[in-house]
Amino acid sequence: MNKYVGKICPYCKTEIKSEDEVVVCSKCEMPHHKDCWVSNAGCTTFGCTGTIMSPDGQPEQAAETGNIICPSCGTQNAGNAKFCHNCGTAIDSQQQRNDYYNGAHAPQPSNNGGYGQQQQYDQQQYGQQQQYGQQQQYGQQQQYDQQQQYGQQYGGYGHKPGLKEIMTMHLYTPMEPETQDYIKDNVQYYMPKFWEMKTSKKNTSWNFASFFLTAYWLIYRKMYAYGFIYLGACALCGIIPFVGSVLSIILGIGGAVLGGIYGNYIYMMEVEKRISQERAMPDMYKSAHRAKKSGTNIVVPLCLAGGVFLLFFILFIVVMAVGLMVM
């Protein structure tokens, strides 16, 4: 336990203290607060399928005798539960497997010994293996039935669910629950895009708005730093003697293409960063942070576009006036 004190819980972004109840992922060994593990229904590491363990490397035990700890999300379930009431993981077969390997049903040794006792033990062991095989077959069949039902209801495998399906099907998605609140405008477009990138582990997804209006789209989505840096780079390239105009065109086209390809991914990462910042704040500041960082800002890009148009218009008038004077 002492080696995890001072580390940061990846879910709540707060420091682990000596008095906190800590659990560890069996695969990536990432420490979490136990409440955070249960709230997230599993490990927060993207793509990790590890199960819950205590800091000493042992499977997490139920606080009440007869209860079963879900190996996925860490929630306590009744001893006769077949599925976790929190995340839906099949836990009955997992419990049978644990009992078998831990020797919970193995016969106790006696002084008599003998071939008959060994034969009885072999029969008991065979019966347990057969029972586990039947349970495993039942679980696989049930999983197949659920997948088949999903395929028939939502257009078959490979179908990309829309916003309504994502929000009503109770699919497991690795997106943060506050994602919708931070997107606000055009949620029906961005939520399926984020879902697709997360589940397929891709960082590319085409966005026409970020392609045609790269800097203005970044500013509109409140990614001010990215937008103004891009505009500043284009402006600086434009004033370089001889090659400035060429560099400005190359930067403009290259930025537009990269913005179209990676715009959705950049925005998704920015939303997740804002959510992490909110979780690390005291409660009194969270609402103000969300109001400032969520949604869009149409005023700044419109003013910026108007200013650019006005600047070019003034330059055009000046050039025309100079031309008339020369004539």
Side-chain angles (χ1 to χ4, degrees):
M1 171 61 189
N2 291 334
K3 65 179 181 179
Y4 299 118
V5 174
K7 294 186 178 296
I8 302 299
C9 173
Y11 183 79
C12 65
K13 311 299 182 184
T14 59
E15 185 176 312
I16 295 175
K17 300 178 181 178
S18 57
E19 64 270 16
D20 293 340
E21 190 173 6
V22 179
V23 295
V24 183
C25 176
S26 62
K27 280 195 173 182
C28 67
E29 299 183 354
M30 180 68 72
H32 302 68
H33 293 111
K34 185 173 182 180
D35 291 340
C36 294
W37 181 288
V38 174
S39 178
N40 191 61
C43 181
T44 56
T45 302
F46 179 63
C48 181
T49 57
T51 57
I52 187 171
M53 293 195 315
S54 61
D56 58 2
Q58 299 299 318
E60 186 69 7
Q61 301 296 322
E64 299 181 15
T65 305
N67 286 1
I68 301 176
I69 288 286
C70 172
S72 178
C73 71
T75 303
Q76 288 196 42
N77 295 268
N80 59 351
K82 295 185 180 295
F83 299 92
C84 175
H85 67 80
N86 182 42
C87 67
T89 300
I91 54 177
D92 187 53
S93 58
Q94 180 71 26
Q95 181 68 12
Q96 292 290 343
R97 189 186 300 116
N98 289 342
D99 289 345
Y100 174 75
Y101 285 117
N102 292 335
H105 300 286
Q108 299 298 322
S110 65
N111 296 328
N112 295 331
Y115 171 75
Q117 189 179 34
Q118 180 63 38
Q119 187 178 36
Q120 181 182 6
Y121 171 71
D122 293 341
Q123 290 174 347
Q124 187 178 21
Q125 186 180 30
Y126 171 75
Q128 290 172 356
Q129 290 175 336
Q130 189 177 37
Q131 181 183 13
Y132 169 66
Q134 291 172 348
Q135 290 174 343
Q136 188 178 39
Q137 184 179 12
Y138 168 74
Q140 292 172 347
Q141 181 63 38
Q142 188 175 42
Q143 182 181 14
Y144 170 76
D145 292 342
Q146 291 172 347
Q147 292 174 342
Q148 190 176 41
Q149 182 181 7
Y150 165 73
Q152 293 171 351
Q153 185 175 1
Y154 294 104
Y157 302 110
H159 168 68
K160 298 177 182 178
L163 175 65
K164 183 178 179 181
E165 294 174 21
I166 291 176
M167 303 314 298
T168 59
M169 287 163 48
H170 302 291
L171 286 174
Y172 168 72
T173 64
M175 292 183 294
E176 304 292 353
E178 302 95 331
T179 303
Q180 286 188 94
D181 297 332
Y182 273 89
I183 296 174
K184 279 191 177 179
D185 299 322
N186 209 9
V187 173
Q188 68 276 9
Y189 171 80
Y190 286 103
M191 285 293 285
K193 290 289 186 181
F194 290 2
W195 184 90
E196 182 183 358
M197 286 189 290
K198 282 286 190 179
T199 53
S200 61
K201 298 182 180 180
K202 296 192 306 181
N203 56 6
T204 57
S205 176
W206 185 257
N207 186 322
F208 279 102
S210 61
F211 172 71
F212 288 108
L213 303 167
T214 309
Y216 300 101
W217 176 82
L218 289 167
I219 296 171
Y220 172 70
R221 285 286 161 186
K222 294 188 176 181
M223 293 182 280
Y224 301 116
Y226 297 137
F228 283 112
I229 288 173
Y230 179 64
L231 284 176
C234 291
L236 287 175
C237 288
I239 63 176
I240 297 176
F242 305 111
V243 297
S245 58
V246 177
L247 289 176
S248 183
I249 292 173
I250 293 174
L251 184 61
I253 295 175
V257 172
L258 292 175
I261 296 174
Y262 294 102
N264 288 331
Y265 178 74
I266 293 172
Y267 185 43
M268 180 179 69
M269 298 303 294
E270 181 67 21
V271 168
E272 290 184 351
K273 184 180 78 171
R274 294 171 184 176
I275 293 172
S276 298
Q277 290 172 344
E278 179 187 322
R279 289 178 176 175
M281 289 179 176
D283 292 340
M284 65 177 68
Y285 301 120
K286 288 184 177 180
S287 58
H289 173 81
R290 183 172 296 193
K292 181 180 178 181
K293 296 291 186 179
S294 63
T296 56
N297 186 343
I298 190 63
V299 176
V300 175
L302 283 179
C303 292
L304 189 60
V308 171
F309 175 79
L310 183 61
L311 178 62
F312 277 101
F313 180 74
I314 293 173
L315 289 174
F316 175 76
I317 296 299
V318 171
V319 170
M320 292 296 293
V322 172
L324 291 174
M325 291 175 61
V326 171
M327 294 176 60

